[in-house]
Amino acid sequence: MLWQKLRGGKAGVKFRRQHPVGPYVVDFYCRESRLIVEIDGDGHDYADRPQRDETRLRFLREQGYRVVRIDARRVIANVGSVAQAIATLVATPLHQPAAGPPPRPGEDFNVLHPAE
């Protein structure tokens, strides 16, 4: 259902479905905004799956991707609003203008990740 809303640039940019990224295959990928959208069904809540998902999420973020995980029930309940939310995300740039000079070597700085 969601693919029908995203395919062909309907979200304002091109998405790929079942796209390989490193050792993983992601549900939806937008190259232009480096956004990965993962749809999580009930199976993601059981056994070792939460730990595997966290490892996968960490890897993808370390590669510079924004990752959004969406519960499959939310997609089924209102696919239109989910597609609109994704379109809003791709309209938001990954990198914001610098708020000042970069940190000097040895200085620590925090990297914020978008909420899941």
Side-chain angles (χ1 to χ4, degrees), residues 93-103 109-110:
L94 178 59
H95 300 287
Q96 302 295 325
F109 64 100
N110 292 324

Side-chain angles (χ1 to χ4, degrees), residues 22-38:
Y24 302 106
V25 176
V26 300
D27 293 332
F28 302 101
Y29 170 63
C30 175
R31 181 174 174 250
E32 185 177 318
S33 63
R34 294 187 58 84
L35 176 68
I36 292 172
V37 178
E38 294 282 80

Side-chain angles (χ1 to χ4, degrees), residues 1 38-42 70-78 82:
M1 294 182 331
E38 294 282 80
I39 307 302
D40 293 344
D42 289 337
I70 303 171
D71 190 288
R73 290 174 290 223
R74 186 171 167 207
V75 175
I76 292 168
N78 195 341
V82 170

Side-chain angles (χ1 to χ4, degrees), residues 14-104:
K14 181 180 178 182
F15 272 89
R16 298 175 185 170
R17 182 175 61 148
Q18 297 296 299
H19 182 74
V21 177
Y24 302 106
V25 176
V26 300
D27 293 332
F28 302 101
Y29 170 63
C30 175
R31 181 174 174 250
E32 185 177 318
S33 63
R34 294 187 58 84
L35 176 68
I36 292 172
V37 178
E38 294 282 80
I39 307 302
D40 293 344
D42 289 337
H44 289 266
D45 298 331
Y46 300 104
D48 68 337
R49 193 60 194 247
Q51 181 181 5
R52 288 175 40 207
D53 285 346
E54 185 57 37
T55 300
R56 175 186 174 111
L57 180 64
R58 187 174 34 257
F59 171 84
L60 295 170
R61 285 185 172 164
E62 286 171 354
Q63 303 309 307
Y65 296 101
R66 286 192 296 176
V67 181
V68 176
R69 295 177 61 190
I70 303 171
D71 190 288
R73 290 174 290 223
R74 186 171 167 207
V75 175
I76 292 168
N78 195 341
V79 68
S81 70
V82 170
Q84 181 58 48
I86 292 169
T88 299
L89 277 175
V90 297
T92 306
L94 178 59
H95 300 287
Q96 302 295 325
R104 291 179 287 199

